[in-house]
């Protein structure tokens, strides 16, 4: 995981040159953006500029694709990703209040990362755990029956139990 | 395949050409279905859904702009259900729209407004969340107001498909979709060429020009300055449309009179400086040919083209003529030659250019075009802004008594007139270069090969025993195609004219919004505006720039020789690569 930027850029360029001359090479843009996100953790403006030059696709188009799909993150992600399920079941059980409590605690909005770089906040559609609604997923762990009161404790506990370098 | 097929529209049978859409077929037999995102020059988007029709056998309504006809197709265009559905669609668009029509730039000339009227929307049934985004006023030329955008995508398509700039795209999704440049960058920092075609095709006021009319009114009210206007050729060929006159009327003298009534002390003609440009440019071309200079030489009059070239084709900078544009040459002459003549301090002159263009606002502010530390053109207003000022001041442009332009920067040849149409600069330059090179009169002054609306025009002119191969492109997309060819084949042409807008300046981004029964970029409209200029050329006694007596005089009294020291200082400039770099998909890299 700890490659330097130059190595990552080189790997991205190699990937682009392996796809761009294929039939409909432009249609590999999404795959290239996935590759970029895997390498860098997010898709930065500099990376999109690089892709534009390498693939000969205007940045306005790349920006359109990168902002269309929620999967792509346009800013660096925190150590932990918090996804609050806003699916129907969770919503009627008060997911909006849970989300608000987390926003207030971390002082960030959706898609943003807390100042200390620990948490990134996301909305999610149904996570398939409606029986536990409302549900919050932190990284790949599901927490059920979350309330606006215990949400913050769950965040703290999770980061304590799962320290990442 | 049969030549005609039969379709039924509203229970009546029609014979129409196959291989077209329902909308095209309906258009051809006298129906004009409502439409917003559709534009005949652009690819089909099918986004707005206001053009829906009913087709027998289909479960849902279909978008007529995108659906092809077939033999025996039965179409209904005006059922109660359709009318209701269309009305709902337009109401939903209106619901997420500012609805400040009475204070909007496009009031009375808005396609959404017209459509709401045609759909019979009298009450509002929906009330929901409205978008609220900041307005981008960073650019010298184009203002982007996403709140007025209805997401039809015409601007996105014209910017990429016709102009090959690719500055705009849809970002984000659903309710949060916004048309913006990459990274939501401020317009001033993007690859935008300032051509203003997004303004021309926008059905609402999501794109408008940066408005400088208040600055000009303020300057006009000052007693301590000399107020000078110059008028581009294409303005007179189109301004009448803003006052309800049919397209193609040349209001040269009326425009001069109206500007004087507005309060300008002197009204000069950009056609004069077009003549000056031609004398310099023709000499530059011959100089390059004789001395083995860089060829092909490419014209530099179009401001949108210049910024585009700096970002997309910086490798061709040495091919670009060093001549300033007619507007900037005029600015330079006003602040030097003319200031001397009237014994005024150039600092006390306010120079205003009335242009068909939005990109010239950017050009006017370019630091490399400064004249002795001053701007040659202090304010640039479009044809539309000028129309508004004239209306606002209560001046009757239609019935006004025409007046002549002022001396000594007001007399022009027919060659200066045709500058406004694609191919015009080329034709004007050939008229002068031919005579300078051969020393003989040109037998036929009309260079037909470079006239007309074909995207890229090619021709060859025999100047004595020397063949000069020329090419003309209008619209930046055509220019890009032609210049890719130049990159591959640098010896193919000697001289190339590029105008950034479709049709040349007559189709500029600052020209009047088209009225009813016409679409932006309509070829008939562009042809009529161009014809107004070609007619004026035909009726001029002097049709060659170098024969304009005031041009001869300015060289004698002030400039000396074409390409001389003074010319170089005041009439020529240089360009340099500009960032961000532009990308042409499918094309070579810059």
């Amino acid at each position: 995981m700890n490659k330097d930027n130059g190595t990552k850029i080189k790997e991205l360029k190699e990937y682009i040159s392996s796809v761009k001359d294929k039939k409909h090479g432009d249609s590999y843009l999404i795959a290239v953006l996935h590759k970029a996100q895997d390498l860098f953790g997010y898709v930065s403006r500099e990376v999109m500029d690089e892709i534009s030059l390498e693939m000969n696709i205007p940045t306005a188009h790349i920006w359109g694709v990168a902002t269309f799909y929620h999967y792509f993150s346009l800013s660096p992600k925190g150590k932990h990703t918090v996804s609050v399920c806003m699916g129907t079941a969770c919503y009627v059980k008060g997911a909006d209040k849970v989300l608000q409590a987390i926003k207030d605690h971390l002082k960030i909005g959706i898609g943003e990362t807390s100042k200390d770089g620990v948490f990134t906040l996301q909305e999610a559609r149904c996570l398939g755990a409606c029986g536990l609604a409302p549900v919050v997923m932190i990284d790949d762990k599901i927490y059920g029956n979350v309330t606006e009161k215990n949400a913050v404790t769950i965040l703290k506990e999770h980061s304590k139990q799962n320290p990442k370098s | 395949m049969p030549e005609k097929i039969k379709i039924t529209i509203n229970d009546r049978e029609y014979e129409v050409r196959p291989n077209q859409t329902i909308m095209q077929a309906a258009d051809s037999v006298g129906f004009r279905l409502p439409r917003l995102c559709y534009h005949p020059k652009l690819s089909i988007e099918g986004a707005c859904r206001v053009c829906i029709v009913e087709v027998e056998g289909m479960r849902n309504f279909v978008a007529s702009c995108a659906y092809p006809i077939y033999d025996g197709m039965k179409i209904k265009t005006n059922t109660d259900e359709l009318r209701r559905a269309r009305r709902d669609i337009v109401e939903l668009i209106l619901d997420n729209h500012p609805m400040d029509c009475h204070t909007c730039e496009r009031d009375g000339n808005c396609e959404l407004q017209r459509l709401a009227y045609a759909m019979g929307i009298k009450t509002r049934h929906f009330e929901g969340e409205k978008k609220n985004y900041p307005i981008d006023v960073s650019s010298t030329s184009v203002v982007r107001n996403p709140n007025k955008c209805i997401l039809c995508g015409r601007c996105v398509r014209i910017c990429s498909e016709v102009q090959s700039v690719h500055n705009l795209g849809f970002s984000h999704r659903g309710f949060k979709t916004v048309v913006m440049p990459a990274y939501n960058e401020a317009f001033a920092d993007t690859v935008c060429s300032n051509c203003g075609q997004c303004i021309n095709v926008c059905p609402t006021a999501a794109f408008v020009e940066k408005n400088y009319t208040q600055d000009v009114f303020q300057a006009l009210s000052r007693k301590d300055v000399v107020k000078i206007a110059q008028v581009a050729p294409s303005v007179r060929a189109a301004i009448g449309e803003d006052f309800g006159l049919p397209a193609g009327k040349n209001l040269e003298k009326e425009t001069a009179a109206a500007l004087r009534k507005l309060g300008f002390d002197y009204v000069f003609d950009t056609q004069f400086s077009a003549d000056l440009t031609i004398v310099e440019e023709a000499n530059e071309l011959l100089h390059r040919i004789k001395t083995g200079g860089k060829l092909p030489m490419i014209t530099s009059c179009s401001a949108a083209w210049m910024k585009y070239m700096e970002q997309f084709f910086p490798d061709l900078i040495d091919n670009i003529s060093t001549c300033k544009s007619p507007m900037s040459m005029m600015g330079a002459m006003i602040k030097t030659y003319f200031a001397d003549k009237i014994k005024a301090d150039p600092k006390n002159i306010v120079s205003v250019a009335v242009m068909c263009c939005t990109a010239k606002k950017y050009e006017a502010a370019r630091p490399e075009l400064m004249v002795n530390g001053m701007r040659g053109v202090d304010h640039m207003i479009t044809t539309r802004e000028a129309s508004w000022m004239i209306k606002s001041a209560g001046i009757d442009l239609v019935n006004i008594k025409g007046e002549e332009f002022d001396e000594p920067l007001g007399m022009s040849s027919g060659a200066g007139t045709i500058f406004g149409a694609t191919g015009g600069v080329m034709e004007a330059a050939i008229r002068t270069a031919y005579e300078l090179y051969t020393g003989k009169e040109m037998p036929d002054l009309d260079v037909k090969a470079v006239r007309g609306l074909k995207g890229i025009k090619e021709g060859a002119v025999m100047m004595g025993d020397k063949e000069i191969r020329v090419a003309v492109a209008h619209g930046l997309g055509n220019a890009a195609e032609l210049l890719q060819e130049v990159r591959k084949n640098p010896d193919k042409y000697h001289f190339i004219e590029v105008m950034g807008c479709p049709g040349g300046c007559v189709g500029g981004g600052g020209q009047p919004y088209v009225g009813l029964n016409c679409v932006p970029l309509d070829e008939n409209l562009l042809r009529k505006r161009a014809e107004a200029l070609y007619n004026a050329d035909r009726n001029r006694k002097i049709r060659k720039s170098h024969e304009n007596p005031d041009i001869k005089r300015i060289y004698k009294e002030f400039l000396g020789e074409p390409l001389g020291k003074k010319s170089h200082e005041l009439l020529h400039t240089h360009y340099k690569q500009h960032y961000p770099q532009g990308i042409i998909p499918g094309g070579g890299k810059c």
Side-chain angles (χ1 to χ4, degrees), chain B residues 477-494:
Chain B
N478 291 323
E481 195 184 320
L482 179 60
L483 293 176
Q484 308 260 33
E485 178 63 27
V486 170
R487 276 175 175 166
K488 272 185 255 157
N489 204 345
D491 299 329
K492 196 165 174 186
Y493 308 105
H494 296 96

Side-chain angles (χ1 to χ4, degrees), chain A residues 20 26 44-46 48-49 52-61 63-65 67-70 74, chain B residues 165-174 180-185 189 581 583-589:
Chain A
K20 74 172 176 188
D26 285 4
S44 69
R45 178 182 173 149
E46 289 68 30
M48 284 187 266
D49 279 345
S52 171
L53 289 171
E54 289 296 313
M55 296 186 78
N56 213 26
I57 296 175
T59 46
H61 182 67
W63 174 248
V65 173
T67 55
F68 184 87
Y69 294 104
H70 289 143
L74 302 173
Chain B
V165 177
H166 301 271
N167 187 41
L168 294 171
F170 288 105
S171 80
H172 302 83
R173 68 198 289 178
M180 59 166 71
Y183 319 128
N184 200 10
E185 189 75 283
D189 301 328
Q581 178 177 331
I583 299 280
I584 304 169
K589 264 179 222 161

Side-chain angles (χ1 to χ4, degrees), chain A residues 55-94:
Chain A
M55 296 186 78
N56 213 26
I57 296 175
T59 46
H61 182 67
I62 299 174
W63 174 248
V65 173
T67 55
F68 184 87
Y69 294 104
H70 289 143
Y71 177 80
F72 296 120
S73 173
L74 302 173
S75 50
K77 284 211 166 169
K79 280 186 200 163
H80 304 291
T81 303
V82 182
S83 307
V84 179
C85 178
M86 297 295 273
T88 312
C90 291
Y91 191 83
V92 297
K93 291 277 235 169

Side-chain angles (χ1 to χ4, degrees), chain B residues 327-485:
Chain B
M327 177 186 87
S328 293
M329 284 199 181
M330 178 63 91
M333 290 304 98
I334 287 172
K335 299 260 170 129
T336 55
Y337 173 64
F338 185 68
D340 279 355
K341 266 206 173 288
I342 56 166
K343 303 206 164 36
D345 181 349
K347 288 195 185 71
N348 292 330
I349 291 178
V350 176
S351 142
V352 176
V354 184
M355 300 274 138
C356 41
C357 188
T358 46
K360 293 272 172 204
K361 292 174 191 280
Y362 175 82
E363 180 187 314
R366 267 182 186 261
E368 58 269 47
L369 296 178
M370 298 278 249
V371 185
N372 303 327
M374 280 169 289
R375 278 173 62 153
V377 172
D378 297 296
H379 308 291
M380 194 241 100
I381 54 171
T382 61
T383 312
R384 289 188 293 261
E385 288 171 274
S387 296
W388 177 80
M389 289 185 75
I390 291 168
K391 285 178 190 171
S392 177
I395 296 163
D396 182 4
L397 182 82
V398 177
N399 299 304
I400 207 169
K401 191 165 177 292
E403 293 172 12
E404 299 292 335
F405 288 101
D406 282 296
E407 282 190 32
L409 307 172
M411 191 194 283
S412 63
S413 75
T417 304
I418 57 174
F419 248 67
T422 166
V425 174
M426 174 63 71
E427 185 167 342
I430 288 173
R431 290 180 190 174
T432 290
Y434 182 96
E435 302 202 353
L436 290 179
Y437 189 79
T438 63
K440 291 183 197 139
E441 288 232 342
M442 200 168 154
D444 181 8
L445 289 182
D446 292 352
V447 188
K448 296 254 163 61
V450 296
R451 293 188 183 183
L453 288 173
K454 201 173 150 218
I456 297 173
K457 293 166 279 188
E458 291 176 300
V461 187
M462 290 305 292
M463 293 192 185
D465 53 359
K466 174 93 185 152
E467 188 194 48
I468 304 289
R469 294 182 300 278
V470 301
V472 172
H474 62 109
L476 293 172
N478 291 323
E481 195 184 320
L482 179 60
L483 293 176
Q484 308 260 33
E485 178 63 27

Side-chain angles (χ1 to χ4, degrees), chain A residues 20-130:
Chain A
K20 74 172 176 188
D21 294 326
K22 289 188 183 180
K23 209 175 166 195
H24 305 300
D26 285 4
S27 68
Y28 285 85
L29 176 60
I30 293 177
V32 169
L33 286 169
H34 273 288
K35 182 79 185 174
Q37 178 141 316
D38 285 349
L39 284 166
F40 296 92
Y42 72 109
V43 189
S44 69
R45 178 182 173 149
E46 289 68 30
V47 164
M48 284 187 266
D49 279 345
E50 199 62 47
I51 295 173
S52 171
L53 289 171
E54 289 296 313
M55 296 186 78
N56 213 26
I57 296 175
T59 46
H61 182 67
I62 299 174
W63 174 248
V65 173
T67 55
F68 184 87
Y69 294 104
H70 289 143
Y71 177 80
F72 296 120
S73 173
L74 302 173
S75 50
K77 284 211 166 169
K79 280 186 200 163
H80 304 291
T81 303
V82 182
S83 307
V84 179
C85 178
M86 297 295 273
T88 312
C90 291
Y91 191 83
V92 297
K93 291 277 235 169
D96 55 334
K97 293 194 187 89
V98 172
L99 181 62
Q100 194 55 49
I102 296 175
K103 277 183 181 171
D104 290 348
H105 174 70
L106 297 176
K107 299 191 180 63
I108 53 172
I110 290 157
E112 295 174 357
T113 300
S114 60
K115 241 187 188 161
D116 57 9
V118 178
F119 293 106
T120 296
L121 183 58
Q122 283 183 344
E123 265 187 339
R125 294 298 160 225
C126 185
L127 295 170
C130 309

